[in-house]
Amino acid sequence: MFFGHLSQVDKKHYPAAIQIALDYLASTNFDQLAVGRYPIIGERIYAQVLDLETQDKAVIQPEAHRRYIDVQYLHRGFERIGVSIDVGNNSIAQDYDNERDIVFYQKVENEIELIMRPGNFAVFFPQDIHRPACLDQQSTTIRKVVVKIAVSELEVLP
């Protein structure tokens, strides 16, 4: 997992595919885009613009993905995201859905919380279980962008 703020990014520390996502986030006016899905590099890298209501952590199931990495960017509002490493011993609430590339968990061990403010981003890899859109003190509407990067886009070192 990576966590940062778009105003403080030194992109050379990130793989090329994540640099593409960060460039897209930094150069796009999300106030001008409708909620929806936007291709960046076809199905290999694309963005989802979402308007959500934050909810109590207890009603949001933790999730993970297998084929895509999430770059979650908070454009507007306040949010907390629960994060835990998938070590294989968490109870599954809903089996992996290959079509949606998602598995939901009942609960997770050793969960920490990221406090998200506008401009913050977090990169979640397949081993990173995350619980997005949790309220931070009170429920609010947030606009967030999730850039999905196919795991195959990451370069493998020899």
Side-chain angles (χ1 to χ4, degrees), residues 14-24 40-41 44-45 69 71 147-155:
Y14 297 95
I18 295 173
Q19 289 179 28
I20 290 168
L22 295 173
D23 284 342
Y24 176 81
I40 300 171
I41 301 178
R44 297 181 349 240
I45 303 177
I69 295 162
V71 179
V147 177
K148 305 291 273 185
I149 302 171
V151 171
S152 61
E153 290 299 299
L154 293 183
E155 292 181 0

Side-chain angles (χ1 to χ4, degrees), residues 79-130:
E79 169 191 31
R80 287 181 182 253
I81 300 177
V83 181
S84 179
I85 299 301
D86 188 358
V87 294
N89 60 347
N90 297 303
S91 301
I92 293 176
Q94 188 176 345
D95 288 334
Y96 178 72
D97 181 333
N98 189 53
E99 175 99 7
R100 294 181 55 214
D101 183 39
I102 196 164
V103 59
F104 290 102
Y105 295 91
Q106 291 178 8
K107 60 180 182 171
V108 293
E109 294 181 355
N110 303 316
E111 186 176 37
I112 61 166
E113 290 184 348
L114 299 177
I115 299 171
M116 303 286 286
R117 295 295 181 257
N120 281 130
F121 67 91
V123 181
F124 299 112
F125 295 89
Q127 71 273 12
D128 299 323
I129 298 173
H130 48 285

